[in-house]
Amino acid sequence: MAYVRSLYNGIPSPPLDNFWYGHQVTMVAAKKDNTFLDIFGAWTKEYGSSIMVFASFRNILFTVDPNMFKVVTSDLNSFSKLDDLPNRSLFGQRIAGWNSVLTGGGHNWAIKRKVMSKFFAKANTSETFELCKPLIQNYVRSNLAGKVGKGQVMELHNEFSTIFSAYPAAVGLSGFDDPDTIGRNVTKILEMIPKQLGGKFSLTKLLFAVGKDKSETVDMVIEMRKRLKALTREKMQEIHSSDSAANHSDLLGLLIQANESCDFERDLLDEYVVDDILTIYLVMDNMVKQLASLFIFLESEQEVYRKMAREIRDFTLTDSSSLSQLRYTEQVLLESLRMAPALLRGTRLLKTPDETPSRIGPYNLASGTQIHFSQYLIHHNEQTWRDPQKFDPERWSNGFQPEPYTYMPFLAGPRGCLGKHFAMMTMKLTLVSILQKFELIPKLNKEKRPTIDQGMAVMRIRNNVDYELIPLPHPA
């Protein structure tokens, strides 16, 4: 450990727990107590905006410095994603794989991103809106309304999961499964993924995840991939038997076009397309959590809820451009994205061609160093934000724009979120469709309040977000 620490002389570091495990003991305890980000926030406040953390066999530069954010998220040549990201496979069973538009890198990833950017471009929002609008309105009318009864409590994460699992069908991923089933399956996969983490160093944790739930979830992924491959092959046959460009215009058509443009094995193209489809379903769950977390904040911010609800109920939804009239609703969403971004923290791996140290910002870093950055902490930084712990949509009034790399709910740089415009559109559309029909009354369990799990890189909510939905007497 002394030799390893000598490689990072000049970079501040908190005191080690012990010689052998570095800061691992503190980090494990913080995850258990749900204070993981609180610990790192305290460390960066005391020792500096960028610190070295040593955890077993990992050398980590942890940073909340916006300038380092810029370097790490912009330099694709020096920094890559980790090879063992948990959403790539589940106990050896492929989920999103290693070459999807989210998990991949290099030339093929750049090709995919260029092709897919056409669909998720802001200019295409009007078209995707028209596809999504009837879907959500029909869901509220036929599904949600039927579940509402006096005194009946609904768990919002589950309801939003069904809604957002239906959106891909509206834009070209139809014919796979009903939204309720997809939503439950995605939720189960995402609940199982963390249980495989730590297996490399913790036999107990690995054994804990082995059992009926693990087996059922892996079998479910296998079945999902099987059915999605059949759907993909059917679409590929349709595309290749027609000269019409329209066959490529929907989401599935573009996914096929993107993968056919890469230098993948021809006989495995359907596998790569399925990787991207499952990636989209997993990423859609980020919006589910984003809206569910919003209603955690609104439980104690009822005036904010009432003001947003009034604006929505006085509003007439026509086309996608009409959503821009919902200025306060947009401020509420922007503030929710600041307080609890779906991606709480990110990781990159520094790799240099000759394995020699590189000058990254003000530091010399050894090749193989992990750089961890936290959007959550930079969003709560007192040096950047006024009263950062307060949920305050008014901070976004009058066209406020935060300083670069201090607000990154959709990341930034070349790997910034492709679907950010789609995400904002669908979240607004979901709020409008529900709040114009129902009053939402918080029924959160006082003893088991929902909280954000600080130990995960992607937001996960502990405990239920329970609300009662009451039909409005004169719905819009």
Side-chain angles (χ1 to χ4, degrees):
M1 180 64 72
Y3 169 72
V4 172
R5 293 188 72 190
S6 71
L7 297 176
Y8 302 96
N9 282 336
I11 305 177
S13 176
L16 300 180
D17 296 325
N18 60 58
F19 178 80
W20 297 107
Y21 295 104
H23 302 95
Q24 183 79 359
V25 175
T26 296
M27 291 167 64
V28 170
K31 283 190 175 184
K32 183 179 180 181
D33 298 338
N34 201 28
T35 57
F36 189 79
L37 292 173
D38 295 337
I39 289 292
F40 278 90
W43 279 347
T44 53
K45 189 173 183 179
E46 181 173 357
Y47 299 104
S49 58
S50 296
I51 58 174
M52 282 305 302
V53 177
F54 304 96
S56 294
F57 305 104
R58 294 174 296 156
N59 308 321
I60 300 168
L61 177 76
F62 188 93
T63 185
V64 293
D65 180 354
N67 294 320
M68 287 295 289
F69 274 42
K70 181 178 180 179
V71 172
V72 172
T73 57
S74 300
D75 186 352
L76 298 182
N77 293 321
S78 301
F79 297 98
S80 64
K81 288 200 167 188
L82 301 184
D83 291 334
D84 57 351
L85 286 175
N87 58 357
R88 292 177 171 177
S89 66
L90 183 66
F91 297 102
Q93 169 56 48
R94 183 170 174 171
I95 306 177
W98 286 259
N99 293 284
S100 77
V101 71
L102 176 68
T103 60
H107 179 65
N108 286 330
W109 167 81
I111 290 174
K112 282 192 178 188
R113 189 174 176 91
K114 182 177 181 180
V115 174
M116 296 308 301
S117 64
K118 303 172 188 174
F119 182 86
F120 290 109
K122 188 175 183 179
N124 198 43
T125 302
S126 59
E127 184 175 336
T128 54
F129 170 86
E130 294 301 330
L131 294 168
C132 293
K133 178 184 174 184
L135 183 147
I136 176 61
Q137 292 182 332
N138 178 66
Y139 175 82
V140 170
R141 181 172 58 252
S142 61
N143 292 64
L144 195 57
K147 298 178 182 179
V148 174
K150 187 175 182 181
Q152 181 176 345
V153 172
M154 304 182 72
E155 206 289 305
L156 291 188
H157 182 278
N158 290 339
E159 293 304 322
F160 291 145
S161 181
T162 299
I163 292 171
F164 280 90
S165 293
Y167 278 133
V171 293
L173 293 176
S174 59
F176 169 48
D177 220 333
D178 67 276
D180 276 317
T181 301
I182 296 171
R184 286 194 301 271
N185 289 351
V186 169
T187 298
K188 193 167 185 179
I189 292 170
L190 290 169
E191 287 175 348
M192 184 58 66
I193 283 174
K195 294 181 180 180
Q196 68 182 341
L197 299 177
K200 187 175 181 180
F201 303 114
S202 173
L203 181 60
T204 302
K205 194 167 186 177
L206 183 61
L207 291 174
F208 176 76
V210 176
K212 184 179 178 182
D213 284 347
K214 173 202 166 185
S215 178
E216 288 181 351
T217 308
V218 169
D219 289 344
M220 182 182 67
V221 174
I222 293 172
E223 181 62 23
M224 289 179 73
R225 290 193 67 92
K226 179 181 176 181
R227 296 179 63 188
L228 287 170
K229 281 172 67 176
L231 179 68
T232 299
R233 288 169 181 167
E234 182 180 332
K235 181 69 172 181
M236 290 172 74
Q237 186 175 5
E238 176 189 334
I239 290 172
H240 297 147
S241 63
S242 171
D243 295 329
S244 173
N247 287 321
H248 272 115
S249 63
D250 64 18
L251 185 55
L252 182 53
L254 283 171
L255 288 175
I256 292 171
Q257 179 188 347
N259 281 278
E260 288 182 335
S261 301
C262 297
D263 56 3
F264 295 143
E265 306 94 317
R266 297 294 99 179
D267 58 338
L268 294 177
L269 275 178
D270 53 354
E271 294 280 6
Y272 292 111
V273 175
V274 170
D275 290 344
D276 284 318
I277 296 173
L278 285 176
T279 294
I280 288 169
Y281 277 117
L282 294 179
V283 170
M284 292 294 283
D285 192 72
N286 290 346
M287 289 174 271
V288 172
K289 295 164 183 167
Q290 202 66 65
L291 280 186
S293 67
L294 166 61
F295 281 90
I296 297 176
F297 296 119
L298 291 180
E299 187 251 359
S300 58
E301 299 288 346
Q302 283 294 289
E303 183 53 40
V304 172
Y305 167 79
R306 286 189 288 269
K307 185 174 179 179
M308 179 180 72
R310 283 196 301 271
E311 179 183 69
I312 287 174
R313 290 163 187 162
D314 290 340
F315 162 77
T316 300
L317 181 65
T318 55
D319 54 21
S320 63
S321 64
S322 67
L323 290 172
S324 63
Q325 300 171 31
L326 298 173
R327 293 186 176 87
Y328 188 72
T329 302
E330 170 124 349
Q331 290 175 209
V332 171
L333 285 172
L334 291 173
E335 183 67 352
S336 174
L337 287 160
R338 185 191 70 82
M339 290 289 288
L343 188 61
L344 300 174
R345 54 191 171 90
T347 305
R348 294 292 185 268
L349 182 66
L350 173 63
K351 288 187 176 181
T352 55
D354 53 4
E355 300 296 316
T356 58
S358 291
R359 189 74 177 175
I360 305 298
Y363 308 114
N364 285 319
L365 299 179
S367 182
T369 302
Q370 291 185 18
I371 290 83
H372 290 213
F373 51 92
S374 173
Q375 295 90 311
Y376 178 90
L377 288 179
I378 195 69
H379 290 182
H380 290 76
N381 192 323
E382 294 176 353
Q383 296 180 358
T384 306
W385 297 90
R386 169 184 48 82
D387 202 0
Q389 304 305 325
K390 180 182 179 182
F391 187 89
D392 182 17
E394 298 296 342
R395 74 173 78 243
W396 298 95
S397 60
N398 302 317
F400 167 73
Q401 291 292 328
E403 292 296 318
Y405 294 91
T406 62
Y407 181 70
M408 301 204 307
F410 298 108
L411 263 182
R415 295 199 75 111
C417 179
L418 269 177
K420 61 182 179 181
H421 301 299
F422 182 81
M424 291 299 289
M425 182 271 287
T426 50
M427 286 193 290
K428 289 179 186 176
L429 182 56
T430 300
L431 288 173
V432 168
S433 301
I434 293 175
L435 288 177
Q436 286 191 342
K437 301 290 184 185
F438 304 100
E439 193 71 78
L440 272 67
I441 309 297
K443 298 290 181 179
L444 306 188
N445 189 316
K446 302 301 181 183
E447 296 181 359
K448 292 185 177 181
R449 289 186 57 80
T451 58
I452 306 303
D453 188 337
Q454 294 190 16
M456 303 301 297
V458 178
M459 186 206 302
R460 188 175 66 166
I461 298 174
R462 295 184 176 186
N463 301 324
N464 290 348
V465 186
D466 290 330
Y467 268 71
E468 181 182 355
L469 274 65
I470 299 175
L472 295 175
H474 305 288

